[in-house]
Amino acid sequence: MQAKSLSWRRRFSGWLMPLLLSLVAGAHAQAPVDLPSWNDGAAKARIVAFVNAAIEPGGRDFVPTAERIAVFDNDGTLWTEQPVYFQALFVRDRIKALAPKHPEWKTKEPYASLLKGDLKAVMAGGEKAMQQLVMVTHAGMTSDEFSAVVSDWIATARHPKTGRLLTDMTFQPMKELLAYLRANGFKTFIVSGGGIEFMRPWAERVYGVPPEQVIGSSIKTRYEVRDGKPVLVRLPELNFINDKSGKPVGIQQHIGRRPIAAFGNSDGDFEMLEWTTSAPGARLGLIVHHDDGEREFAYDRKSHVGQLDRGLNEAGARGWTVVSMKDDWKTVFAPAR
Amino acid sequence: MQAKSLSWRRRFSGWLMPLLLSLVAGAHAQAPVDLPSWNDGAAKARIVAFVNAAIEPGGRDFVPTAERIAVFDNDGTLWTEQPVYFQALFVRDRIKALAPKHPEWKTKEPYASLLKGDLKAVMAGGEKAMQQLVMVTHAGMTSDEFSAVVSDWIATARHPKTGRLLTDMTFQPMKELLAYLRANGFKTFIVSGGGIEFMRPWAERVYGVPPEQVIGSSIKTRYEVRDGKPVLVRLPELNFINDKSGKPVGIQQHIGRRPIAAFGNSDGDFEMLEWTTSAPGARLGLIVHHDDGEREFAYDRKSHVGQLDRGLNEAGARGWTVVSMKDDWKTVFAPAR
């Protein structure tokens, strides 16, 4: 009897118990939760409940894999946007790099002020000055050339305050969230007001998001054959501004169906969250609230960059989850590479 | 000895042999070829050689999965485009359906001629008349409403000559090719001059291509909140023509990297094939040549719709594979559902 009993116990703990557990787990489709940088709290619980409901076969809120579309803003949601959008640092560095070929910039605005580091004077030039700087730095080359310029720049570009690589100023909890969603059959997209071709060269390496899942603002391009070699020439002409009410338009243009989850941090993401969460079925709207002045920057409610006013006011009524970076995140930044 | 020898033989055929075979097969990464509707010939051999080279780890022409992007034209490449583009049948049917609400169309061109079935008179109105008809039938509703209209229409729309469902006028060999590429890690995109929102409602069901992998021509949309419900309103204003030199532009805008394989049938696909095949590394350019008047339609060289003149002239020099529908395809159409 002794031997038989032992054998039964062994069998039970060896394979019967795991089998029974897997059957139970299978029925509820509870995926392993891999969000180590998130503190246990309402935000994490909401995310996990949403994902578990979406993947539970036969469940009331089950979502077929093809419809598991999640959209993420970039600036302020996946990486820092302070003290300025990082793409503005790119513009500054490119103007400096191009200056030797443009001696006239020494006395011509807005270049002169930018080269002197007087950003206030540049800002005084308004939208027109900003657009001029963007076009000079983003147009006039081929798409392959621009991609190479961005890749070279991002490999060494550092944050003006922390001195860290910009790609290390990405939020570790959000990168875990991207991976967690993908592990559960979600297709993750970036939907940013930033330049689509500014993000694509590094979004796959840094966020695991391939170029065809990056949506952003763009300028026009023209197909040309130069010396028998086809190129796409980037033109100094606006094509599309993927911000505010432009985000749902960009989402429809690129994805062609409504996402079921949206992640943003500013009122520039309001319409994207509204569009995502106002259709029938289970939806997840989530706002990253920048309230951690110690580990990152506390701003948003009154900020010029990344203002979050309407979003905070209406999140409760709309059922959107507000993530406190201070309380909900164990770690803020990705480990330095 | 007898028993031992048998045991060895059993072991060999039982698991050693399959193991050895799988090791050998793994080294060559020969994927099973599932193209039953293709005759053995140069075209099929070229496709299979290209795919096997792309998936062979360590091979000279190996392509990482993320870069295995294949683009397919739709009209004339994945389904018939004779006697007219099928989207023109949609326009005709929509005008008829909307006519009761527009009594003025009885005497107003180009509607009057269309309602009388006089397509020649419609054509005489030129591009302006065509655009007018497109806008009246494609704009003025929300994106969800348009999607529903297309879905309802395509469920019953039939070919004017064969009487078959339009979705059964799709080419079986090309559907096998789409599936074969996907089975080998390729991401398949549709890149069509047709309307992007005209294809999306049925491309997944018919071709296995999800909406986010459909690229086409588009009109502008505007985000609006109507009675607290957000909608995307389709505007009677051209956004982008995804044809000829617009195809590489559309590819870059949506995919953000250069495809390694392109499939077309007319000179509207010339630039897409040129863009795809003129970069370094192994590339596949393939043209479907409509030379089968018995089973489909023989036209293309001199046709107004789907003209293929430059493509046939230059295919040899450019290394593009020309598929003869007559000789290379065992079956032309997908079986009726």
Side-chain angles (χ1 to χ4, degrees), chain A residues 49-175:
Chain A
F50 171 79
V51 169
N52 281 334
I55 66 173
E56 178 161 336
R60 196 181 52 119
D61 290 325
F62 174 76
V63 180
T65 315
E67 290 166 28
R68 291 183 204 155
I69 303 285
V71 289
F72 288 78
D73 170 56
N74 182 39
D75 297 308
T77 299
L78 296 179
W79 71 358
T80 294
E81 60 181 350
Q82 294 290 349
V84 290
Y85 294 133
F86 293 174
Q87 198 167 354
L89 302 174
F90 172 76
V91 168
R92 180 201 65 191
D93 291 351
R94 285 306 296 160
I95 292 287
K96 281 183 188 166
L98 295 168
K101 284 188 184 172
H102 294 271
E104 76 279 11
W105 285 356
K106 273 181 199 152
T107 53
K108 198 178 164 189
E109 290 301 344
Y111 312 100
S113 295
L114 189 77
L115 289 170
K116 273 181 254 160
D118 185 354
L119 288 178
K120 263 192 191 166
V122 175
M123 299 294 246
E127 197 131 313
K128 204 192 141 206
M130 297 306 291
Q131 230 188 67
Q132 225 174 322
L133 293 169
V134 167
M135 290 308 174
V136 160
T137 51
H138 287 65
M141 71 293 281
T142 70
S143 55
D144 286 348
E145 286 163 358
F146 184 70
S147 177
V149 164
V150 172
S151 295
D152 287 351
W153 177 81
I154 199 92
T156 60
R158 289 180 182 273
H159 193 266
K161 294 208 172 168
T162 66
R164 301 184 79 201
L165 282 177
L166 295 182
T167 47
D168 291 338
M169 298 293 290
T170 46
F171 303 138
Q172 181 61 17
M174 296 306 284
K175 290 167 95 166

Side-chain angles (χ1 to χ4, degrees), chain B residues 54 100 104 123 146 150 179 215 237 240 289:
Chain B
E104 76 278 11
M123 298 295 246
F146 185 70
V150 172
I215 306 172
E237 191 186 337
F240 185 68
H289 180 25

Side-chain angles (χ1 to χ4, degrees), chain B residues 114-168:
Chain B
L114 189 77
L115 290 171
K116 274 181 255 158
D118 184 354
L119 289 178
K120 264 193 190 163
V122 175
M123 298 295 246
E127 196 131 315
K128 204 192 141 209
M130 298 305 291
Q131 232 189 64
Q132 225 175 323
L133 293 169
V134 167
M135 290 309 172
V136 160
T137 52
H138 287 65
M141 71 292 281
T142 70
S143 55
D144 286 349
E145 285 163 357
F146 185 70
S147 176
V149 165
V150 172
S151 295
D152 287 351
W153 177 80
I154 199 91
T156 60
R158 289 178 182 274
H159 193 266
K161 294 207 172 168
T162 66
R164 301 184 78 201
L165 282 177
L166 295 182
T167 48
D168 291 338

